[in-house]
Amino acid sequence: MATVAVWLSLAAAVASAANTDASWWAYTHVRVVKEFSGGRMLTVHCKSKDDNMGTHWVGPKSEYEWRFRPSIFGNTLFWCHVWKGDDSQIVYDAYYAGDDKLYDRVYMDNSYWVVKDDGLYLRQFWKGIDVFFHH
């Protein structure tokens, strides 16, 4: 019976913490923005093992964004396919909790991916730069 009480207390604490964005389990935001020339639309399709975000079309100087709460087990992975209106396709991990190198480039659990003429960049607002990621 004591074990059940401990589990219930732990579950209540986790549920309480999860209800505030200031908690350790706050939302993570991922954005994909079109900054390449021409009138072509950017096509974005992102998903995880559990969630398919669907296909979205992004116009000039526009973005597609979603938010989620990462798994407490540290294994959340979202990957994306982006097309620049032609045959060029980029496939990349938009968020992966298990990739320390990628996580170090993200600011406050916000990823801002920029698709430009020459490839994909990860915007680092705090440094004022876009870091080349993939072409």
Side-chain angles (χ1 to χ4, degrees):
M1 193 62 142
T3 303
V4 171
V6 169
W7 278 109
L8 289 175
S9 296
L10 181 60
V14 169
S16 174
N19 286 329
T20 64
D21 278 349
S23 74
W24 57 272
W25 198 37
Y27 283 105
T28 294
H29 295 261
V30 177
R31 293 172 182 86
V32 183
V33 65
K34 175 195 185 284
E35 286 191 2
F36 58 85
S37 59
R40 299 168 294 170
M41 298 289 281
L42 174 67
T43 304
V44 180
H45 186 184
C46 300
K47 58 185 172 178
S48 72
K49 182 181 79 163
D50 299 320
D51 299 300
N52 186 336
M53 308 311 291
T55 301
H56 301 270
W57 292 270
V58 180
K61 300 294 182 186
S62 296
E63 64 184 47
Y64 166 62
E65 173 187 2
W66 77 95
R67 70 182 191 158
F68 60 94
R69 286 192 166 126
S71 165
I72 61 173
F73 301 109
N75 60 354
T76 303
L77 167 64
F78 277 93
W79 64 93
C80 294
H81 296 243
V82 295
W83 296 266
K84 295 193 292 184
D86 54 20
D87 289 337
S88 63
Q89 176 184 199
I90 300 171
V91 180
Y92 66 99
D93 291 345
Y95 178 89
Y96 181 37
D99 184 346
D100 291 336
K101 186 182 285 186
L102 175 61
Y103 191 78
D104 287 344
R105 296 180 187 173
V106 173
Y107 181 68
M108 301 289 293
D109 291 325
N110 288 286
S111 300
Y112 196 92
W113 296 96
V114 183
V115 181
K116 298 183 180 188
D117 286 317
D118 62 340
L120 177 70
Y121 292 77
L122 182 58
R123 182 154 290 161
Q124 294 184 333
F125 289 103
W126 67 100
K127 292 182 179 178
I129 60 172
D130 292 340
V131 177
F132 184 75
F133 200 79
H134 193 285
H135 56 89

